[in-house]
Amino acid sequence: MSLLTSLIRASTQFQQAMEKRQTPATGPEAAAGKAQTKTVESEPTSGDDRFTPSDASLADPGRLKARRLAMADYRQTVGQDLAFVRETLRHKLAEYNLHPATALNVSKNENGSIAVEGKIADKTRALIQKDLNVNKNFKEAFNRLSTNEPTLHFMDNALKLNQAYGVNNPLLDTLISENQQFNGLQDLVHRYDTMRRSVSAEQIEAAGNARTYAFNLNARA
């Protein structure tokens, strides 16, 4: 299944779940709302390609909110932690005389401690793992990555699909605040974490993110 199809499927499932929680409106206002919706839906779109953004789609509120996201700033913040974690692991490989291309997988166990996996001797792996757990700066950087990077990855994928195919993502719309003041990276991370807890694991994985986080050094596709 392609990333586009997966994201659309996840978005649709989430939107349906949210609609089920809302009480349907009744009375004249509801009838007027339905009539207005029907009128909007019946308007013809420009062009034969339904993925080609029209002038109307460019003015869509969801797109306008997304455009205000400071993605460059978010990437810079996450990039700093990525660089620090990567360089720390490379220094550890050199410190223990391991090949620079040795693959390492770093994650957090159930106790919140750093766990290291890789095709290296168990004794060496245990020593590296111990070093990382007593390295306060490394643990703090890794903890930030474990929440910040999945959020950034989700937003980046959703925005790319939006720009390339005109596909609006209800999950992204839910994530972004109308008030730009509350769209800082940590605000978005908090809302994304809440959203991940409220939807199923299948929806999150279909959107391209797993519930658990791991950093892979020198991992080969």
Side-chain angles (χ1 to χ4, degrees):
M1 182 181 294
S2 67
L3 176 60
L4 172 60
T5 303
S6 299
L7 267 174
I8 294 175
R9 178 184 177 186
S11 301
T12 302
Q13 291 174 344
F14 178 78
Q15 190 173 31
Q16 291 174 348
M18 293 297 292
E19 289 175 350
K20 288 180 180 179
R21 296 180 183 179
Q22 298 176 353
T23 303
T26 57
E29 294 182 357
K34 290 181 179 179
Q36 184 178 3
T37 301
K38 184 176 181 180
T39 301
V40 173
E41 290 178 350
S42 63
E43 293 179 356
T45 57
S46 59
D48 294 331
D49 187 353
R50 67 189 183 93
F51 292 122
T52 301
S54 63
D55 293 338
S57 67
L58 292 176
D60 181 84
R63 286 194 172 196
L64 294 177
K65 286 197 304 178
R67 286 181 183 179
R68 293 196 292 267
L69 291 177
M71 293 299 292
D73 293 339
Y74 306 153
R75 292 189 185 97
Q76 182 178 7
T77 299
V78 173
Q80 291 173 348
D81 284 331
L82 277 171
F84 179 78
V85 168
R86 185 178 292 110
E87 287 306 309
T88 301
L89 294 176
R90 285 175 176 170
H91 284 308
K92 284 300 167 186
L93 292 178
E95 181 180 345
Y96 288 96
N97 298 316
L98 296 172
H99 193 281
T102 300
L104 292 178
N105 177 284
V106 183
S107 60
K108 289 193 298 184
N109 57 29
E110 295 179 354
N111 298 324
S113 299
I114 298 294
V116 177
E117 296 180 1
K119 293 183 179 180
I120 55 179
D122 288 342
K123 181 178 180 180
T124 303
R125 182 189 59 78
L127 289 172
I128 293 177
Q129 185 170 286
K130 180 179 178 181
D131 291 346
L132 296 178
N133 274 294
V134 297
N135 186 329
K136 180 181 178 181
N137 291 332
F138 181 88
K139 289 192 70 175
E140 290 178 349
F142 187 82
N143 286 337
R144 287 192 297 268
L145 276 183
S146 67
T147 56
N148 293 352
E149 191 176 24
T151 305
L152 180 62
H153 179 72
F154 166 75
M155 292 192 299
D156 197 40
N157 280 340
L159 287 173
K160 286 178 180 177
L161 288 171
N162 184 293
Q163 294 169 3
Y165 302 104
V167 178
N168 285 328
N169 191 322
L171 298 179
L172 182 63
D173 292 343
T174 302
L175 198 66
I176 305 173
S177 171
E178 294 286 351
N179 190 336
Q180 183 61 19
Q181 181 180 353
F182 302 114
N183 282 331
L185 181 57
Q186 294 310 308
D187 297 317
L188 296 166
V189 166
H190 175 72
R191 289 195 288 271
Y192 182 66
D193 185 59
T194 301
M195 184 177 70
R196 293 209 301 177
R197 290 197 298 267
S198 66
V199 300
S200 67
E202 290 79 8
Q203 287 175 269
I204 290 296
E205 291 175 0
N209 284 17
R211 288 187 179 272
T212 57
Y213 176 82
F215 179 86
N216 294 291
L217 178 72
N218 297 327
R220 296 179 180 178

